[in-house]
Amino acid sequence: MGGMPVNDMPWWRWRSNVRSALHMISDPVFQREVWQAGLPGYGDVTDAVYRLVEDTWLDNWSADKYVGTIFRDAQEAALVDVAVLRVLKILHQVGADAPASAYLEHDGWPDAVRAARDAHALMARADGEDPDIAPRSLEVLAIYTRSA
């Protein structure tokens, strides 16, 4: 886990949740094969957006607030802020209960995917992980965040 103290549990768990959300939002193949196909085990787009902001309140303030805890540095925080703003803008336009297609066909979605990819790749590499592996299921994520 590099510089992220694993014993500082809430931050580590929040980082894992934020990374999971960004990972799913950053992966168009996953979105087609899982979200659009309605496969179980990964939640939907709205769940991913919620995971991004539920513990962190990143819909209310900047990720800068968490530099040194959830985020390693100002660069991570800045990339996360861009991704969160783009994703929330779409959420507000399509509505919280919109189907995956409403997100994926939205004009702004490719920009949101790119922003999420930038943030996801930086965070994954900082944690010593390959940014190009497929997103983990929510069950695996739960096991992963519980077992720290």
Side-chain angles (χ1 to χ4, degrees):
M1 296 304 294
M4 191 59 56
V6 174
N7 58 354
D8 196 1
M9 264 308 289
W11 300 126
W12 186 80
R13 184 177 288 134
W14 292 5
R15 182 177 176 89
S16 297
N17 283 333
V18 167
R19 276 192 48 195
S20 162
L22 290 168
H23 194 168
M24 290 182 183
I25 293 164
S26 75
D27 186 338
V29 174
F30 165 84
Q31 291 160 22
R32 277 196 307 277
E33 294 179 353
V34 176
W35 280 344
Q36 277 197 297
L39 291 187
Y42 292 86
D44 59 18
V45 192
T46 310
D47 294 325
V49 178
Y50 189 64
R51 206 156 54 253
L52 204 52
V53 301
E54 65 180 333
D55 291 324
T56 58
W57 291 51
L58 290 176
D59 45 346
N60 289 305
W61 51 59
S62 169
D64 264 353
K65 187 181 171 82
Y66 299 114
V67 169
T69 52
I70 301 176
F71 305 112
R72 291 167 187 275
D73 54 37
Q75 188 190 5
E76 271 191 7
L79 291 178
V80 169
D81 275 339
V82 172
V84 168
L85 287 172
R86 289 186 182 170
V87 168
L88 287 177
K89 187 175 173 189
I90 296 167
L91 173 76
H92 293 141
Q93 288 173 3
V94 301
D97 298 316
S101 57
Y103 287 89
L104 308 191
E105 291 160 14
H106 189 282
D107 288 345
W109 190 250
D111 285 337
V113 168
R114 268 195 300 277
R117 171 69 194 178
D118 290 345
H120 158 67
L122 186 67
M123 292 179 76
R125 283 194 293 264
D127 291 345
E129 293 186 24
D130 176 1
D132 296 318
I133 58 170
R136 292 187 178 93
S137 72
L138 297 185
E139 185 180 19
V140 171
L141 179 67
I143 292 165
Y144 190 70
T145 54
R146 268 204 307 276
S147 64

